[in-house]
Amino acid sequence: MAAAAAEAAVSPVRFKSNYAVSRKIEPFYKGGRVQVLRQRGFMFCPCGTKLNVIDVETGALHSLQQDDEEDISSFALSPDDEILVTGSRALLLKQWDWRENKCVRTWKAVHIAPVASMAFDSTSTLLATGGCDSTIKIWDMIKQYCTHNLKGSSGVVHLVEFHPDISRLQLFSSSIDYKIRIWDLNSSKCVAMLDGHFSAVTSLAFADGNTLVSSGRDKICMVWDLKTRESKRTVPVYEVKLHFIYSFEILCLGHGPMVPLPLQVPIYCILKVWEVATAACVYTQPVPFELKEEASERSLTQCMLVPERNEIVTVSVEHNIVFYDAQTLQLRKQLAGYNDEVLDVKFLGPGDSHIVVATNSPQLKVFELATSHCQILYGHTETILALDVFRKGLMFVSCAKDKSLRVWRMNKDGRVICVAQGLGHAHGVGAVSCSRLKESFIVTSSQDCTIKIWNIPESLTSKAKAALISSPETLHAKVTERGHDKDINSVAVSPNDKLIATGSQDRLAKLWSCSDCSLLGVFTGHKRGIWCVQFSPVDQVLATSSADGTLKLWGLRDFSCLKTFEGHDASVLKIIFVSRGTQLLSSGSDGLLKLWTIKTNECVKTLDGHEDKIWGLHSNKQDDMVVTASSDSCVMLWKDVTEIEEKEAQAKQEEQIMKEQELSNLLHEKRYLKALGLAISLDRPHTVLMVVKAILKETDGRKHLEENIVRLRKDQKEAVLTFLVTWNTNSRNCHEAQAVMETLLKHEAPDSLLQYSGIKSAVESLLPYTERHFQRLSRLLQASMFIDFMWQNMRLADVSQQEDVTL
């Protein structure tokens, strides 16, 4: 702590005043079929009422939002990547200019139930829609009308596909009766039914013009001869855990000039290549040791080939989208489409280049911030509850409901592997904290009310030895201590690795010695359970946050409460120190972040970005970024914009000074038109009034004023109209207001005036005050006429007296 304090004394601390969202990782895919652009790296994913367009390289997305607020039931992108059509539960079809985010055409689907499937033909001119009403419609996308209405299917038509040879004019479809129907579009009749599957057909692929390959949930692939319309071969692709299977997808890959290879995707999320001629599996993707268990968690729902990009894209049941090289089947990229409830998040990597996210699942997700590439880490068997990262950022720890903790290491290439695991708690492990000075130990706490300290062997911290690890080492707790009477929600290690703090549902925080886990003191004062404890990086102070909505600072010497921060209207779930320990950042169960200055007890800023409980809160090493994670499934990165805002405010102030000086010069030079425009742009009603008064003082002032007002733009005239409403309320300025109003009424047609924004309220405000000014001037005119009459009478009397004296 002393070293940190000395470092802080070297340069002055800059208080933060605001954060702004710089990045948002939110759900972009919640199920359904996805489609990848053939030429450029974009991907289309349905997500409720939106269709998201994702840039695969950067992870950036924009959304096509339906006006009817109905969920998208299906969509299709034409082979030329130009025409995008969506169907919603409102029974409408929409055509989009997806690059401009515009809907260019909307028409009724004619179906009496939502559209379940869509497909374009190879020329991008015909669109087939399969409905939940057992019918299929064919649409001419150029002439914009329905050309065919195909009836005869049983139940929902969940698959439609055109024959790639457009001269054949054939459509293939499948519904819940497990049959593949072939429709002749010339006669609008079903000309054949391919019957062989015993479960739903999930995929069709054309090996050549006369060979069709189909797959189904019955775990078989069938090869059909389209000339004889009979099955040529059945390829069983049985796996061990078949009851978890969701879908088989067939992709036909060219392997030499004549031999087509269907690529089948079984439940293990492993790619396999089968040769049609021999029904033999010729390639199986190898499985890393950490992925050999719980294969059912990684079953696939979709697989597609993008030959133009030499890619195979797979979609898992957990909404993860993976891109493989089509030749080597090596992983290129992985994107996470849905995170569910996010329980914790931490920066990771030597330069905070990654974040590790714990969602409501046994898997961890590591995101590379530059590309949005996501690694899925398997190992835990139940929901992961908390994370912590060692100081260097290369190793981190996770703990879960499966009563275990795991230690993970990031290699130079960014790949993360599990290097150690520990078991010993009797209940789920809910909190974890790493040593701060060296990668030497870990502290965990659990629902079993105990604290455990785990030593990390040198083999995990030594780079040379760590490279030789082939399987996770087993850790053993060196100390176990019962700490509280209720669940321990939070644990923290002091910056010097000598103290441990814990916070519990029993409303107490406790201080422990790291060496033997002996109790040093108790912090009493919160009225409800404590959610988080954090040591100050520079002072001998502990911060706690509670379900009572308060934050408290405690002295480590006498265990007294130094400060209490009140402002949250809900439970305060997480706190961190920022600005070298001079400020606090807290997150609440109401989705709000609050920035506090410790010296003044002031809440500097309240940030509203999340819609639900913020469980995760972490700052990077540079102290200029913060990451938050919430129950609303979103992860947000916040950038410190204090310096940016200060520079903007300073630049704005300098610009104001320059404009004021320029305005003064214009008035001095009697360049009234420019002066008026500048004063209006500065939004200075009083300055505009001064310019108007200056013009009226000139010779032929009314004429000059009229000329200048007429030459203003419409938006400037609207601003002047707003100003003169205020001027007109004061009798001192009513003459100027009436002069400007006279000019507007004289030179603007009534229809033109009616187009002015706020004209109605302006007229309503002007009328009563104008009448009052008219009455006042009328009384003044009457009074002046009486004075003139008296003066004339006095003058006549004086003249007659002079004449008498003369006589």
Side-chain angles (χ1 to χ4, degrees):
M1 288 188 182
E7 182 184 349
V10 174
S11 58
V13 176
R14 177 185 286 274
F15 289 125
K16 304 181 191 306
S17 63
N18 196 11
Y19 286 90
V21 177
S22 63
R23 176 87 178 275
K24 187 175 183 180
I25 301 173
E26 58 184 328
F28 63 81
Y29 171 62
K30 294 183 179 179
R33 299 187 72 83
V34 306
Q35 198 161 347
V36 179
L37 225 64
R38 289 157 178 79
Q39 300 297 335
R40 298 177 60 193
F42 287 97
M43 178 173 60
F44 296 83
C45 300
C47 187
T49 62
K50 300 183 293 185
L51 183 67
N52 291 318
V53 184
I54 296 97
D55 186 329
V56 175
E57 297 302 320
T58 64
L61 67 85
H62 66 271
S63 300
L64 307 176
Q65 181 73 49
Q66 299 247 114
D67 295 333
D68 49 32
E69 295 297 326
E70 290 285 347
D71 284 356
I72 292 174
S73 58
S74 62
F75 77 96
L77 181 70
S78 62
D80 60 7
D81 294 337
E82 293 298 325
I83 306 174
L84 176 69
V85 177
T86 61
S88 72
R89 296 190 181 276
L91 305 182
L92 294 175
L93 296 175
K94 292 179 180 287
Q95 182 178 333
W96 299 84
D97 181 346
W98 61 269
R99 293 180 178 86
E100 299 295 330
N101 287 18
K102 291 192 305 184
C103 177
V104 296
R105 181 185 165 214
T106 301
W107 71 99
K108 291 183 179 180
V110 187
H111 292 278
I112 59 174
V115 174
S117 56
M118 289 187 191
F120 276 93
D121 74 334
S122 58
T123 64
S124 302
T125 57
L126 295 178
L127 172 70
T129 58
C132 296
D133 57 1
S134 306
T135 66
I136 302 170
K137 318 287 185 189
I138 310 293
W139 305 86
D140 188 317
M141 297 304 295
I142 297 175
K143 297 181 180 179
Q144 301 183 357
Y145 70 97
C146 181
T147 62
H148 297 75
N149 182 20
L150 309 179
K151 297 180 180 180
S153 300
S154 300
V156 176
V157 182
H158 61 263
L159 185 62
V160 289
E161 196 74 44
F162 283 95
H163 193 287
D165 185 357
I166 192 61
S167 64
R168 295 198 181 188
L169 280 177
Q170 288 182 336
L171 180 75
F172 294 73
S173 71
S174 182
S175 56
I176 62 172
D177 61 2
Y178 317 147
K179 296 178 176 62
I180 301 169
R181 286 176 169 80
I182 304 177
W183 304 85
D184 183 356
L185 299 184
N186 289 313
S187 61
S188 297
K189 292 181 179 180
C190 177
V191 295
M193 283 195 293
L194 308 182
D195 191 357
H197 284 283
F198 299 97
S199 188
V201 178
T202 58
S203 181
L204 299 175
F206 295 89
D208 55 47
N210 294 312
T211 305
L212 173 71
V213 185
S214 64
S215 67
R217 293 183 182 175
D218 50 10
K219 309 103 167 172
I220 61 172
C221 299
M222 300 190 71
V223 183
W224 303 88
D225 187 329
L226 294 181
K227 288 183 177 179
T228 63
R229 293 168 182 169
E230 292 181 354
S231 172
K232 293 167 58 178
R233 190 169 295 102
T234 298
V235 184
V237 286
Y238 294 108
E239 294 293 338
V240 179
K241 298 183 180 179
L242 291 172
H243 59 284
F244 282 108
I245 199 157
Y246 278 77
S247 174
F248 286 102
E249 296 283 341
I250 297 295
L251 306 177
C252 284
L253 302 174
H255 187 72
M258 296 298 292
V259 185
L261 294 177
L263 179 71
Q264 183 269 337
V265 184
I267 62 173
Y268 291 109
C269 203
I270 308 273
L271 301 180
K272 291 187 177 182
V273 181
W274 302 78
E275 188 172 10
V276 175
T278 61
C281 180
V282 296
Y283 177 82
T284 300
Q285 193 179 30
V287 190
F289 75 88
E290 66 267 21
L291 300 183
K292 289 182 179 177
E293 298 179 359
E294 299 175 17
S296 62
E297 297 290 342
R298 297 178 291 283
S299 55
L300 299 183
T301 60
Q302 189 182 349
C303 184
M304 70 196 90
L305 173 67
V306 188
E308 292 84 357
R309 296 176 54 81
N310 195 32
E311 278 184 344
I312 294 169
V313 184
T314 66
V315 182
S316 78
V317 70
E318 290 190 325
H319 306 126
N320 299 319
I321 302 168
V322 187
F323 297 79
Y324 296 96
D325 186 287
Q327 301 301 322
T328 64
L329 298 186
Q330 295 297 312
L331 177 70
R332 283 185 178 177
K333 190 163 188 175
Q334 185 166 228
L335 299 174
Y338 186 67
N339 289 324
D340 201 2
E341 185 175 0
V342 188
L343 302 179
D344 206 355
V345 63
K346 290 288 187 290
F347 280 104
L348 187 64
D352 296 320
S353 56
H354 296 67
I355 57 172
V356 55
V357 179
T359 63
N360 191 21
S361 78
Q363 288 82 47
L364 283 168
K365 295 176 181 177
V366 178
F367 291 89
E368 185 179 4
L369 295 177
T371 63
S372 293
H373 174 59
C374 176
Q375 296 178 63
I376 309 295
L377 307 182
Y378 298 90
H380 286 287
T381 57
E382 292 188 51
T383 301
I384 298 167
L385 299 175
L387 303 165
D388 199 19
V389 181
F390 286 97
R391 180 172 58 89
K392 293 181 180 179
L394 292 175
M395 284 178 62
F396 67 95
V397 187
S398 62
C399 60
K401 282 185 179 180
D402 59 10
K403 309 172 189 176
S404 74
L405 67 93
R406 284 181 175 260
V407 182
W408 309 80
R409 173 182 285 278
M410 176 180 280
N411 297 329
K412 290 182 179 180
D413 60 358
R415 183 168 170 266
V416 178
I417 59 171
C418 180
V419 294
Q421 60 180 333
L423 285 168
H425 281 286
H427 292 84
V429 187
V432 63
S433 184
C434 302
S435 55
R436 298 302 169 204
L437 293 178
K438 295 181 180 180
E439 297 166 342
S440 55
F441 66 90
I442 302 164
V443 182
T444 59
S445 62
S446 166
Q447 293 175 352
D448 60 14
C449 306
T450 63
I451 309 162
K452 288 183 181 288
I453 301 177
W454 312 72
N455 278 343
I456 298 178
E458 187 183 348
S459 58
L460 297 185
T461 57
S462 170
K463 291 183 179 179
K465 293 180 180 179
L468 302 175
I469 295 174
S470 58
S471 61
E473 289 194 23
T474 300
L475 302 181
H476 299 281
K478 72 165 186 175
V479 179
T480 299
E481 183 71 32
R482 182 174 175 85
H484 292 267
D485 295 328
K486 291 186 179 180
D487 295 358
I488 301 174
N489 294 327
S490 179
V491 62
V493 177
S494 64
N496 60 5
D497 282 352
K498 292 183 178 180
L499 302 172
I500 299 171
T502 56
S504 168
Q505 283 295 109
D506 61 10
R507 299 178 291 180
L508 300 177
K510 294 185 178 181
L511 191 67
W512 311 82
S513 170
C514 253
S515 58
D516 56 0
C517 213
S518 59
L519 181 63
L520 301 178
V522 180
F523 305 94
T524 308
H526 280 294
K527 296 178 181 178
R528 296 185 67 183
I530 294 173
W531 278 111
C532 187
V533 293
Q534 283 289 339
F535 284 98
S536 168
V538 292
D539 299 315
Q540 294 189 8
V541 169
L542 180 75
T544 60
S545 67
S546 167
D548 61 15
T550 65
L551 294 77
K552 290 181 182 289
L553 291 183
W554 311 83
L556 298 182
R557 294 183 183 276
D558 55 4
F559 309 107
S560 62
C561 181
L562 305 176
K563 284 179 180 289
T564 299
F565 301 87
E566 297 180 349
H568 279 281
D569 294 326
S571 299
V572 187
L573 302 177
K574 280 289 173 73
I575 45 171
I576 57 172
F577 283 89
V578 293
S579 306
R580 297 183 190 166
T582 59
Q583 290 183 297
L584 284 168
L585 197 60
S586 61
S587 66
S589 60
D590 53 3
L592 298 178
L593 282 172
K594 287 184 179 287
L595 178 64
W596 309 82
T597 299
I598 294 175
K599 186 176 182 180
T600 61
N601 272 48
E602 178 189 3
C603 177
V604 179
K605 192 74 177 179
T606 298
L607 306 170
D608 188 2
H610 289 285
E611 297 176 358
D612 208 340
K613 303 177 186 69
I614 302 177
W615 289 112
L617 177 63
H618 193 225
S619 176
N620 67 345
K621 298 184 188 71
Q622 297 295 323
D623 199 27
D624 61 353
M625 291 280 290
V626 168
V627 63
T628 57
S630 168
S631 296
D632 61 8
S633 304
C634 291
V635 176
M636 288 190 180
L637 285 105
W638 305 77
K639 183 176 178 61
D640 176 18
V641 293
T642 304
E643 190 172 351
I644 296 172
E645 288 186 347
E646 286 177 356
K647 289 181 178 178
E648 287 178 353
Q650 184 178 355
K652 190 174 181 180
Q653 186 178 3
E654 290 174 356
E655 185 182 2
Q656 287 284 97
I657 293 170
M658 293 293 291
K659 285 185 176 180
E660 287 175 2
Q661 182 60 49
E662 183 183 355
L663 182 60
S664 176
N665 295 339
L666 290 172
L667 287 172
H668 181 72
E669 297 169 6
K670 297 185 178 181
R671 297 165 64 185
Y672 294 122
L673 181 61
K674 282 193 174 182
L676 269 175
L678 187 56
I680 292 168
S681 68
L682 289 171
D683 194 23
R684 298 279 185 84
H686 183 71
T687 307
V688 175
L689 178 61
M690 294 300 101
V691 175
V692 171
K693 286 186 175 182
I695 295 173
L696 291 173
K697 286 180 181 178
E698 295 290 321
T699 306
D700 294 332
R702 294 294 286 260
K703 181 181 177 183
H704 290 311
L705 178 64
E706 192 173 323
E707 291 172 353
N708 286 306
I709 295 296
V710 167
R711 294 172 66 185
L712 293 176
R713 299 191 309 269
K714 181 186 175 183
D715 61 310
Q716 292 175 324
K717 290 177 183 177
E718 289 176 348
V720 170
L721 179 63
T722 306
F723 297 159
L724 68 86
V725 169
T726 306
W727 304 341
N728 198 51
T729 59
N730 192 327
S731 58
R732 294 180 180 179
N733 307 321
C734 68
H735 299 289
E736 291 78 10
Q738 294 295 324
V740 175
M741 188 162 54
E742 180 187 358
T743 302
L744 290 175
L745 292 172
K746 184 187 295 185
H747 292 276
E748 292 289 329
D751 291 342
S752 176
L753 280 173
L754 287 172
Q755 301 300 318
Y756 279 30
S757 63
I759 184 65
K760 182 179 179 182
S761 60
V763 171
E764 289 175 351
S765 301
L766 285 168
L767 283 174
Y769 282 101
T770 301
E771 286 184 17
R772 190 180 300 176
H773 296 319
F774 180 74
Q775 292 170 2
R776 181 173 53 80
L777 290 173
S778 297
R779 291 194 299 271
L780 185 62
L781 181 60
Q782 290 175 4
S784 64
M785 290 177 67
F786 178 73
I787 291 171
D788 185 60
F789 172 74
M790 291 293 296
W791 165 249
Q792 291 296 334
N793 284 340
M794 290 172 63
R795 194 162 162 269
L796 289 172
D798 185 53
V799 169
S800 62
Q801 287 178 3
Q802 287 182 0
E803 288 177 351
D804 291 341
V805 171
T806 303
L807 292 172

